Every structure is written in structure tokens, then in C-alpha cells.
Amino acid sequence: MPAAIVPPAAGRRTLAVLVLIPALAALVLSVFAWPAARIAPRDLPIGVAGPAAAATAVERGLGRHEGAFEIHRYADAGAARAAIENRDVYGAVVVTPGGTELLTASAASPAVAGLLREAVTAQVPAGAPVRVTDVVAAPAGDPRGAALGASLLPLALVGAVTGAATVLLGLRGAGAVATLVGAAALTGPVGAALADSWLGALAGDWWAEAGVLGLTVLAIGATFAGLATLLGKPGLALGAVLTILLGNAFSGMSSAPELLPTGVGALGQWLPPGAGGSALRSVSAFEGAAAGRPLLVLSLWAVAGLAATALGARRRRTEAVPAPAQAPVPVG
């Protein structure tokens, strides 16, 4: 029996799939694995408090890790605690006549809290005790921050599905905007009910958490819908790259933005998942401290996406209206 002949077009499509799928797998694995494999402190803001001579000695010891820490000096332990609670620093070393005390905030990042314990313990004289105080502790339901870190991808997926479905179902203009806003408004309380009321991974004001969750979903959904309205199917792909791929991999939620490779953590905070994660930490454990910037980033993405969805659909309708036919000019 003669072998089946594969049509040239089908052969090209098969070859494209065989080449593109491994390339896509390599890209996704690289984007997620590369930052995780390069975790290290980079200008990590921490505080030092105590007598001038002792504080200077601590600074000098921490300075041996070149580029690792951004040192802030405080007058006393109270000022250092306030800086931690305001999310100005991740922790502080306080030198007292009775010894060295390390102030941490596991709610800001359990990974950073552990890193600071190792760094400070390594530089004190052998056998000297280091008292550790967790100024802002992580919620009892999520002491390692695993649930909070794992919440970003589901939020990104929900936002992506909302935005893509809005466009693919043919919703346009005000209808599309209302659908995106309504879906986000309903998703926020559902997310807070699961993460706060059920899992105990959040421990702040319930409605503030619901608002941040809803705004994060809106920012991602509006980004998808806006890009798809303006660019078609390529817009959906671009939205996936920005929010699901880069947004999650560069968010720093499982560690901290300052532990990611230089520039990566900063970029992640300008994308919806990273901004949403930072805002959620602030309202959950720090009474909203330092939430202004990430909320502004989320709002900008949401407004830009909604505007693109509404105005882009209107522009397409205008372009689709045929020009009126000109009346024939009489001859004679």
C-alpha cells in the first residue's frame, strides 16, 4: 500500500507546531526559572539603630555584602519599628547595651525575614545571642506566605478569562466595560471570602482586601479586552505575556522584588500581578501602608484597558460604515 502523502500545507503546519511548542516551553521555563535561580538581596532596604559607634560597626559588617543592602539609620528601636510598619524597610538591627536585636516583618516577606536572621547571626561574635522580634508577623493561616504567593496566578487567569470572554462573546463599548467592572466587583468579595475568611492567608480589613482583589482582576481583564479590541488575536497573546507570563514570574510574591535580578523586580511592580500582590500585602498586614503606588499602577492599567475597549470598539464601528455612494452626475 502506498504511503499517505501529506499535503504541503499540512506539513508546514505540523513543522510549525513541532518548532514553536518546544520554543514556547523553553521561553516559559526560562522566564519562571531564571529569576528563582538568581534569588539574592539587591539593595534590600533595612534599618540600623543604636549608638553611633555600634551602628557604624553593624553597617560596616553588612556592607561586606556589596550591593546587597540599602542601609537606613534610625535613632532608636521605636523609630526602626515605625519604619518597618510603614514598609520603608524589611527589618532592622538594633544594638543595645544588652546585645543585638533583629526586628523583622515576616508579613512583608518570610524569605527576607529568614535571610536577615542568617546575615545578622553570621556577623555577631560567636556565641553572642541575637534576639529576634517579628514586628509584623505573617497571618497564622499562612506563616510561610505560600498561599498569598500562589494566589496571583489564579487572579491573573480569572482576569484573562474575563477579558478574553468579553471580546470573544462580541461585547463592545459600554456593554463590555460594564461586564468587566461587574465581574471584577463580584470576584473581589469571593476572593476575600476564600483567602481571608476560609484559609486565613489574609488578616486585614476584609473589604479593603476585596477591593484590591477586584481591582487586580479588573486591571488584568481590562488589559486583555483592550489589547484584543485594538489588535485582535495578537492582543490576546500580548496580554498573556504581560500579565500571566512576565507579570507572575516578575512579581516577587514568593520572595521579594529586591531579591530578584536587577531590574526584574522593579519591572514586575509596574505590571498588574506584582502591583496587586504588593497592595494586597499592604492592606492585609500593614493597615494600607505603602499601598498608594501599587493601587495607582492597578488603576492606570484598568483605566487604560477600559478606555481602549470602549474607544477601540467605537473606532472599528466607524471604520466599518461604508462611505455613501455619490449620485451620478447628469450629462447634457
Side-chain angles (χ1 to χ4, degrees), residues 92 101 152 158 173 212 243 283 306 313 330:
E101 180 180 13
L152 280 189
V158 170
V212 170
T243 60
V283 302
L306 293 176

Side-chain angles (χ1 to χ4, degrees), residues 47-72:
V48 175
T56 300
V58 171
E59 280 192 50
R60 192 178 299 116
L62 294 173
R64 295 193 187 101
H65 308 278
E66 187 175 354
F69 300 108
E70 178 185 283
I71 308 296
H72 298 255

Side-chain angles (χ1 to χ4, degrees), residues 224-238:
F224 262 82
L227 289 173
T229 301
L230 295 176
L231 305 176
K233 290 182 180 179
L236 293 176
L238 180 57

Side-chain angles (χ1 to χ4, degrees), residues 81-173:
R81 282 176 175 267
I84 293 172
E85 292 168 350
N86 290 331
R87 300 203 70 185
D88 295 326
V89 294
Y90 281 92
V93 182
V94 181
V95 184
T96 67
T100 302
E101 180 180 13
L102 172 63
L103 306 179
T104 63
S106 59
S109 170
V112 170
L115 182 151
L116 291 179
R117 281 194 296 270
E118 294 177 4
V120 174
T121 302
Q123 77 167 30
V124 300
V130 175
R131 185 158 55 96
V132 179
T133 302
D134 199 350
V135 177
V136 186
D142 189 26
R144 296 178 179 82
L148 183 59
S151 66
L152 280 189
L153 182 57
L155 284 178
L157 292 175
V158 170
V161 170
T162 302
T166 298
V167 174
L168 295 177
L169 291 176
L171 299 175
R172 296 290 185 270

Side-chain angles (χ1 to χ4, degrees), residues 11-314:
R12 287 194 297 270
R13 288 194 293 267
T14 300
L15 180 61
V17 170
L18 294 177
V19 171
L20 290 177
I21 294 302
L24 179 61
L27 173 64
V28 173
L29 288 173
S30 298
V31 168
F32 276 90
W34 169 61
R38 298 292 183 268
I39 293 292
R42 296 171 175 86
D43 293 324
L44 184 74
I46 63 173
V48 175
T56 300
V58 171
E59 280 192 50
R60 192 178 299 116
L62 294 173
R64 295 193 187 101
H65 308 278
E66 187 175 354
F69 300 108
E70 178 185 283
I71 308 296
H72 298 255
R73 290 286 289 268
Y74 297 102
D76 51 33
R81 282 176 175 267
I84 293 172
E85 292 168 350
N86 290 331
R87 300 203 70 185
D88 295 326
V89 294
Y90 281 92
V93 182
V94 181
V95 184
T96 67
T100 302
E101 180 180 13
L102 172 63
L103 306 179
T104 63
S106 59
S109 170
V112 170
L115 182 151
L116 291 179
R117 281 194 296 270
E118 294 177 4
V120 174
T121 302
Q123 77 167 30
V124 300
V130 175
R131 185 158 55 96
V132 179
T133 302
D134 199 350
V135 177
V136 186
D142 189 26
R144 296 178 179 82
L148 183 59
S151 66
L152 280 189
L153 182 57
L155 284 178
L157 292 175
V158 170
V161 170
T162 302
T166 298
V167 174
L168 295 177
L169 291 176
L171 299 175
R172 296 290 185 270
V177 170
T179 300
L180 291 167
V181 173
L186 294 174
T187 301
V190 171
L194 293 174
D196 187 318
S197 305
W198 178 41
L199 295 176
L202 303 176
D205 181 82
W206 196 93
W207 284 108
E209 294 164 355
V212 170
L213 291 168
L215 182 57
T216 303
V217 171
L218 177 61
I220 296 171
T223 298
F224 262 82
L227 289 173
T229 301
L230 295 176
L231 305 176
K233 290 182 180 179
L236 293 176
L238 180 57
V241 169
L242 291 174
T243 60
I244 297 178
L245 185 59
L246 298 181
N248 279 276
F250 295 174
S251 68
M253 281 300 291
S254 60
S255 55
E258 294 85 357
L259 297 186
L260 299 180
T262 303
V264 168
L267 173 60
Q269 295 307 296
W270 285 101
L271 298 175
S278 292
L280 196 57
R281 280 194 192 279
S282 291
V283 302
S284 171
F286 296 87
E287 298 182 352
R293 176 178 170 178
L295 289 177
L296 176 61
V297 171
L298 290 173
S299 300
L300 291 175
W301 280 98
V303 170
L306 293 176
T309 302
L311 300 179
R314 182 179 303 173

